[in-house]
Amino acid sequence: MISSLHRPTVATVDLKAIQNNIKAVQTHIPQGTKTYAVVKANAYGHGAVAVANAISQEVDAYCVSNLDEALELRQAGIKKEILILGVVLASELPLVIENQITITVASQEWLNAAQAYFSDLSRLHVHLKVDSGMGRIGVRSLAEADQLIANMLKANIQVDGIFTHFATADEADTEKFQAQLTFFTELVNGLTYKPALVHASNSATSIWHSETIFNAVRLGIVIYGLNPSGSKLALPYPLEEALTLSSRLVHVKAIHAGDTVGYGATYTAKADEFVGTIPIGYADGWTRDLQDFSVLIDGQFCQIIGRVSMDQITVRLPKAYPIGEKVTLIGKDGDKEITATDLANKKGTINYEVLCLLSDRIPRKYH
């Protein structure tokens, strides 16, 4: 999808804020812990290449979701280690090895497929994934992990790390978290061959359970300044939200009592009022469930009236503003603010999804 550079809707990313957030977390975790920055999903909507370049001095390596995300970073000149957190098909291993990308291995079945494709896997670097209770990918017992590591070493594969992922580290109830931590700790301690890197700490674990960190962390949503729990748990220290989203009014009109607005005529004016049109819609990730939410104009909350269209929304205005008046969709205007978490609460989802849904049609600008 082409970025709409000639439209006033734009996401602005504060790269210094991301650097500061990483440093803030690092001051609260054990010194010498290896830091992976999670830049998957276009760095949670912030722009993977720009973010990866900006934080190269603050982190040791990067995590992505899939091979194409890793290749994007390599093609942009990123030299540091890149770990793919998802499963890569064995048929793609030539690209993995050629570009010196570290991958996740989650089963003996995968290793069998890799060996069926290639006789020489000596240049392949991997981390073994343990399913400690997340229920997605990974080995599920010490015996399975021990045997798979032994088989990979026999195939001359470089087994650099072992990791797991917690399902509830961002929740107040720690019972599930503690069960996963115990399972993973006992598994790692029981291994015949223990890889050098051991990591289980995502954003939530790193800030609320820093005492459980092994020797590496994977920092995701926190580096972008958002609370992993949404609003369930208070952040232990301040972070800077890195992304703001703004646009401008492109049309202003007066409507009268009884006039309707939008598809389905779901809004009917009860009195004479002013309506403004803003060029953003569900094709940009500003989804239809945001009807009745608000934007900020001139330091005031202005309600979205009528259905969100593919390309436009309409808002009720307190007065007639000129075309070109600034609209804040995420960020501060005066003493008021709209956050990605506010949007998530309205949508009944999480702030991760709000940011990841912002489409490529919205240009990203950096400072």
Side-chain angles (χ1 to χ4, degrees):
M1 184 182 294
I2 191 169
S3 290
S4 298
L5 299 173
H6 299 94
R7 189 179 64 156
T9 303
V10 60
T12 303
V13 178
D14 184 345
L15 296 171
K16 186 66 176 178
I18 299 175
Q19 294 171 344
N20 290 341
N21 292 333
I22 294 170
K23 292 174 184 176
V25 177
Q26 288 172 332
T27 61
H28 291 86
I29 63 177
Q31 189 174 5
T33 302
K34 183 171 182 176
T35 301
Y36 284 87
V38 183
V39 293
K40 64 179 181 176
N42 199 27
Y44 295 43
H46 293 69
V49 171
V51 169
N53 276 317
I55 63 176
S56 62
Q57 299 304 307
E58 284 73 35
V59 303
D60 301 293
Y62 304 95
C63 290
V64 296
S65 168
N66 57 62
L67 179 55
D68 293 288
E69 291 181 342
L71 293 175
E72 178 188 28
L73 296 183
R74 283 287 184 255
Q75 290 162 5
I78 300 296
K79 303 296 185 186
K80 288 189 174 182
E81 179 193 353
I82 301 170
L83 169 62
I84 297 176
L85 297 173
V87 176
V88 176
L89 293 177
S91 57
E92 303 296 343
L93 286 178
L95 274 174
V96 169
I97 294 170
E98 177 187 350
N99 287 277
Q100 297 180 302
I101 295 165
T102 305
I103 65 170
T104 294
V105 172
S107 69
Q108 179 63 46
E109 182 182 8
W110 182 92
L111 179 59
N112 294 342
Q115 291 180 298
Y117 271 101
F118 306 103
S119 57
D120 183 9
L121 296 172
S122 60
R123 295 170 57 204
L124 182 63
H125 290 257
V126 308
H127 287 206
L128 176 64
K129 180 65 181 290
V130 175
D131 178 8
S132 60
M134 186 72 173
R136 297 190 303 194
I137 64 172
V139 298
R140 304 191 68 174
S141 70
L142 171 59
E144 189 180 1
D146 233 5
Q147 188 61 59
L148 183 50
I149 290 174
N151 291 342
M152 288 192 288
L153 294 174
K154 187 176 179 180
N156 294 316
I157 294 172
Q158 309 300 308
V159 184
D160 298 335
I162 184 168
F163 72 107
T164 195
H165 189 68
F166 294 121
T168 60
D170 57 353
E171 297 181 7
D173 187 342
T174 62
E175 183 178 357
K176 174 72 172 180
F177 169 79
Q178 291 296 339
Q180 283 192 257
L181 177 62
T182 298
F183 176 88
F184 182 66
T185 302
E186 291 178 352
L187 184 148
V188 170
N189 289 340
L191 289 172
T192 302
Y193 174 89
K194 180 179 175 180
L197 278 175
V198 181
H199 50 108
S201 299
N202 55 4
S203 289
T205 314
S206 299
I207 62 175
W208 286 304
H209 304 281
S210 59
E211 74 283 358
T212 69
I213 290 171
F214 291 88
N215 59 11
V217 294
R218 307 182 304 270
L219 302 183
I221 197 73
V222 294
I223 75 175
Y224 308 106
L226 280 91
N227 186 328
S229 78
S231 51
K232 293 179 182 177
L233 300 174
L235 288 171
Y237 40 84
L239 299 171
E240 303 173 48
E241 196 160 344
L243 182 143
T244 57
L245 180 64
S246 63
S247 190
R248 296 189 180 274
L249 292 175
V250 294
H251 186 69
V252 176
K253 61 179 176 290
I255 63 173
H256 305 291
D259 288 348
T260 62
V261 176
Y263 285 115
T266 59
Y267 177 81
T268 302
K270 294 179 180 179
D272 293 353
E273 56 194 31
F274 292 102
V275 174
T277 302
I278 303 163
I280 189 171
Y282 60 77
D284 303 290
W286 200 263
T287 48
R288 280 163 54 103
D289 49 9
L290 290 173
Q291 180 176 343
D292 299 325
F293 193 65
S294 296
V295 302
L296 284 169
I297 300 173
D298 191 25
Q300 301 177 73
F301 289 108
C302 297
Q303 184 184 9
I304 299 170
I305 57 175
R307 287 182 181 160
V308 174
S309 302
M310 183 182 292
D311 312 305
Q312 300 175 89
I313 58 173
T314 46
V315 299
R316 186 170 56 241
L317 300 172
K319 66 179 184 179
Y321 286 102
I323 290 176
E325 184 77 16
K326 183 180 177 180
V327 178
T328 299
L329 298 121
I330 299 175
K332 296 179 180 179
D333 184 354
D335 61 354
K336 296 182 175 63
E337 183 178 17
I338 296 172
T339 68
T341 300
D342 294 331
L343 286 157
N345 290 339
K346 164 62 178 173
K347 291 163 60 66
T349 185
I350 56 176
N351 48 33
Y352 298 68
E353 183 178 17
V354 169
L355 295 175
C356 289
L357 283 178
L358 297 178
S359 78
D360 291 343
R361 193 162 76 163
I362 301 174
R364 271 63 168 178
K365 294 185 179 179
Y366 299 94
H367 68 80

